[in-house]
Amino acid sequence: MGPVLAGVLQLLALIAALALAHVPLGNYMAKVYSSDRHWRVEKWIYKGIGANPDTEMRWPAYLRGVLAFSAVGVLFLYLLQRLQGVLPGSLGFSSIDPDQAFNTAVSFVTNTNWQSYYGEQAMGHVVQTAGLAVQNFVSAAVGIAVAVALVRGFARSRTGELGNFWSDLVRGVVRILLPFSVVVAVVLVACGVIQNFSGIHEVGQFMGGSQQWNGGAVASQEAIKEIGTNGGGYFNANSAHPFENPTPFTNLLQIFLLLVIPFALTRTFGVMVGSVRQGYAILATMATIWVGFVALMMWSEFAHHGPALQLAGGAMEGKETRFGVGASSIYAVSTTLTSTGAVDSFHSSFTGLGGGITMLGMMLGEIAPGGTGSGLYGMLIMAVIAVFIAGLMVGRTPEYLGKKIGTREIKFAACYILITPALVLVFTAAAMALPTPGNSMTNSGAHGFSEILYAYTSASNNNGSAFAGLNADTQWFNTTLGLAMVLGRFLPMVFVLALAGSLAEQQPVPVTAGTLRTEKPLFTGLLVGAILIITGLTYFPALALGPLAEGLAS
């Protein structure tokens, strides 16, 4: 079987698995967030944190809950790292430096999982399990909660109430993420992923000498790392490491896991607003972009010129021979079109155009299908923009799901889409202009610029993957990337929740002959076009200086 055919067959198998899971998982999540009953364990949690899960919240109260909970998470994880040297199970590792502890704490709380450290050489068992793994669960649940709040904004009328943040948070963890992760962790252990609390071992090498390896609760963290679109690896090599990702099957399983909830949330959206066809329109938009990006990536990596690359079946530099070009291409696109950041290959070693595709996937806002929750609310914001553009074309007041998109709503949507580009471009420009950050680049020219651009694109969009070749463990990068993560995560949430509150206050308007049918293929095409044009106009100059220049020159 040729490598191209193998890649295509894996893609088809992945699509089939996602299709089978779409309806039952989407319906289940809709039921979770629509139920008025609380499980006993959930009542214990509410009592422990002093929250009343039945109190409805308007958007300012909901936002305060998000920010307060996240701030406590940052503080707790920061202190845990700073105290690591005196904690049990530290494996002899010292406490984390202040700037790196800040960067890591912010990274995991914002669902970014950017890592400027070697996991197996820096973090002990307590920090990995009680700190990083816990944030993998709750940060993902926060993203889903905000998305559900926006869906309620479309579904409800004549009220500004969006549900209860504490109830949405707890249900997301207890009813969705935790049981799903337990099942997946068992499967991963059966497939060869390690799960233990062993210390550091001296391991002999085939060519003589030895190296040190430490164990860890890898399978349990790997499960939520993918399910919650987190991406932080237990080891520095992430999912290219055989302890995290030992076989082609586990590789395909991991891609499935990081895509399944974001895609299924479109079904949840359709059920909760009372029109599954609206959900299918959003799903079609996401799927069109994802499949298109996978096809482009496979073409750029398989068709690269040069006799050595042709004999190898494609551009194999930086890719695991266990997985090959096809699986690595699917993984790279899926992880950068979601907010996952996990990698099974090194994106810096992709072809110039291939590296550009990974960057463009993040620059779209990670909405195809995006992260757990963040992908759905990002796509719904783009749908509001697309409806507004269509209204300008025909001279009608735009409407979406029966809600008028007026001046207030479009201002919220516009502010949302401007935040991350501003963060990416301003921080990238500063890093290129100042001498100290430039010393961290191992490459010059277009590829060196791509390293910087990729880092801030990854941080600002809460992705977390790295281009490799950049030494980001400096005070400058730890601090500025941390700021980009915080602002890129929580400022957009402000405008998402404000938009949700504004929509929930409206009285739905009846459908007329002049209403744009947003469940039709025409709207899907309009939405895809709006996403690509808005992103292209924003980022094309920066992409032209980096990956496009490198790709055209090679």
Side-chain angles (χ1 to χ4, degrees):
M1 182 187 298
V4 177
L5 179 59
V8 172
L9 290 178
Q10 289 185 71
L11 177 61
L12 293 176
L14 180 60
I15 293 173
L18 291 169
L20 288 173
H22 179 76
V23 172
L25 181 57
N27 288 347
Y28 174 71
M29 289 191 292
K31 183 178 179 181
V32 166
Y33 291 105
S34 301
S35 174
D36 57 359
R37 298 184 62 185
H38 306 295
W39 290 1
R40 180 175 298 178
V41 65
E42 294 171 349
K43 293 179 181 178
W44 293 342
I45 296 172
Y46 299 139
K47 185 176 181 180
I49 63 177
N52 182 356
D54 297 314
T55 301
E56 287 283 339
M57 295 179 174
R58 299 178 69 86
W59 79 264
Y62 203 100
L63 176 63
R64 286 195 296 271
V66 170
L67 297 180
F69 178 76
S70 300
V72 170
V74 170
L75 179 61
F76 173 77
L77 188 50
Y78 176 82
L79 292 176
L80 201 62
Q81 293 175 84
R82 295 290 293 139
L83 296 172
Q84 176 175 251
V86 298
L87 293 174
S90 64
L91 301 177
F93 299 143
S94 60
S95 298
I96 308 300
D97 292 336
D99 58 305
Q100 191 173 64
F102 163 75
N103 181 279
T104 304
V106 165
S107 176
F108 278 78
V109 171
T110 60
N111 200 242
T112 309
N113 297 61
W114 171 274
Q115 295 170 290
S116 62
Y117 58 89
Y118 297 95
E120 62 268 43
Q121 298 177 17
M123 300 296 182
H125 293 321
V126 173
V127 176
Q128 290 275 20
T129 55
L132 306 185
V134 168
Q135 288 304 321
N136 282 348
F137 281 97
V138 295
S139 65
V142 168
I144 301 176
V146 174
V148 169
L150 179 58
V151 173
R152 292 191 184 114
F154 283 109
R156 295 181 176 183
S157 62
R158 308 182 86 173
T159 176
E161 297 172 345
L162 301 175
N164 184 282
F165 167 70
W166 304 108
S167 174
D168 292 340
L169 173 71
V170 171
R171 290 183 180 190
V173 173
V174 173
R175 303 192 191 186
I176 300 172
L177 298 174
L178 189 57
F180 196 179
S181 297
V182 169
V183 174
V184 170
V186 172
V187 173
L188 290 176
V189 169
C191 292
V193 180
I194 68 171
Q195 179 77 8
N196 57 57
F197 289 101
S198 67
I200 297 176
H201 300 277
E202 197 82 15
V203 181
Q205 297 177 311
F206 288 112
M207 303 301 292
S210 65
Q211 62 184 123
Q212 292 183 332
W213 287 107
N214 56 285
V218 178
S220 56
Q221 187 155 319
E222 194 71 16
I224 188 57
K225 156 189 159 182
E226 310 297 357
I227 293 170
T229 63
N230 295 285
Y234 207 99
F235 299 97
N236 182 52
N238 206 281
S239 289
H241 197 293
F243 286 178
E244 291 194 30
N245 192 8
T247 67
F249 171 76
T250 59
N251 188 68
L252 196 62
L253 174 62
Q254 288 186 17
I255 303 173
F256 168 79
L257 293 174
L258 61 91
L259 293 170
V260 65
I261 288 181
F263 272 131
L265 277 171
T266 61
R267 174 75 180 190
T268 304
F269 162 69
V271 171
M272 292 183 70
V273 299
S275 174
V276 294
R277 296 180 67 185
Q278 296 286 350
Y280 283 130
I282 298 298
L283 173 64
T285 304
M286 292 178 172
T288 298
I289 296 174
W290 176 68
V291 172
F293 271 54
V294 170
L296 285 173
M297 181 64 85
M298 284 191 174
W299 170 79
S300 72
E301 298 304 300
F302 276 121
H304 199 277
H305 57 78
L309 296 174
Q310 291 172 1
L311 288 172
M316 281 298 297
E317 180 188 347
K319 299 182 179 68
E320 268 291 327
T321 55
R322 291 175 294 148
F323 310 137
V325 175
S328 296
S329 298
I330 300 171
Y331 204 120
V333 168
S334 299
T335 197
T336 50
L337 276 174
T338 62
S339 64
T340 309
V343 294
D344 73 346
S345 55
F346 291 96
H347 297 174
S348 180
S349 297
F350 279 45
T351 62
L353 294 178
I357 292 170
T358 61
M359 272 189 268
L360 183 59
M362 294 184 289
M363 290 169 177
L364 292 182
E366 296 175 323
I367 53 178
T372 48
S374 61
L376 178 61
Y377 66 65
M379 182 60 80
L380 292 177
I381 293 289
M382 294 305 303
V384 168
I385 297 291
V387 166
F388 179 74
I389 293 172
L392 293 178
M393 294 168 117
V394 299
R396 288 181 54 89
T397 301
E399 303 165 5
Y400 187 53
L401 298 177
K403 301 297 180 72
K404 287 186 177 294
I405 308 302
T407 303
R408 186 182 183 192
E409 289 75 22
I410 203 63
K411 285 180 179 178
F412 291 145
C415 288
Y416 175 93
I417 65 173
L418 289 173
I419 290 169
T420 49
L423 293 173
V424 172
L425 299 177
V426 169
F427 278 122
T428 300
M432 293 301 297
L434 298 174
T436 302
N439 295 333
S440 295
M441 296 189 300
T442 56
N443 295 279
S444 58
H447 196 82
F449 174 76
S450 293
E451 292 174 0
I452 301 291
L453 178 63
Y454 193 105
Y456 287 108
T457 300
S458 177
S460 301
N461 288 281
N462 302 128
N463 181 271
S465 64
F467 207 48
L470 178 70
N471 175 24
D473 187 15
T474 66
Q475 287 189 351
W476 166 269
F477 282 112
N478 280 329
T479 303
T480 57
L481 289 170
L483 291 174
M485 286 183 253
V486 170
L487 297 175
R489 174 72 164 179
F490 297 114
L491 279 182
M493 285 184 175
V494 173
F495 297 109
V496 169
L497 293 173
L499 175 63
S502 178
L503 294 171
E505 292 173 351
Q506 291 189 31
Q507 172 72 22
V509 296
V511 176
T512 65
T515 301
L516 174 65
R517 302 297 296 272
T518 53
E519 77 280 9
K520 298 290 186 179
L522 177 63
F523 179 72
T524 297
L526 174 64
L527 184 51
V528 171
I531 292 167
L532 296 177
I533 290 172
I534 291 172
T535 303
L537 290 175
T538 304
Y539 287 108
F540 182 79
L543 290 171
L545 292 173
L548 288 179
E550 183 183 357
L552 294 174
S554 60

